[in-house]
Amino acid sequence: MISSIYQARSQENRYNPVALRARPVVYPGHFDNLYVDTGRLRVYVSRCSRADGACCEAHVTVEALARGGCWVTVREEHNG
Ligand SMILES: [Zn+2]
């Protein structure tokens, strides 16, 4: 369960997992769901919580398309 304190704090954040999870899933993964795919940027939210052994309640990973066509992690946010 994500605390309301955390929700308020993350509302200024474009990678707010609450807002991301309100969107349709672009591609469901085993550990992460893909919520945004612009072709150059992908945003995932973890499906796992602390109870599952994850680092936080709603881990957000942002990947960018690099030269050579591989995706690299450019940002990670721990939430809750
Ligand atoms: Zn985390």
Side-chain angles (χ1 to χ4, degrees), residues 13-53:
N13 183 341
R14 65 190 283 220
Y15 301 127
N16 178 349
V18 176
L20 289 165
R21 281 175 170 166
R23 304 166 63 116
V25 174
V26 175
Y27 186 82
H30 195 69
F31 298 108
D32 302 87
N33 283 333
L34 177 63
Y35 285 96
V36 175
D37 185 357
T38 68
R40 301 187 60 85
L41 196 81
R42 290 176 176 172
V43 183
Y44 299 83
V45 182
S46 175
R47 299 180 61 185
C48 305
S49 66
R50 285 184 181 276
D52 304 312

Side-chain angles (χ1 to χ4, degrees), residues 55-56 59 77-78:
C55 52
C56 58
H59 193 82
E77 294 203 351
H78 303 285

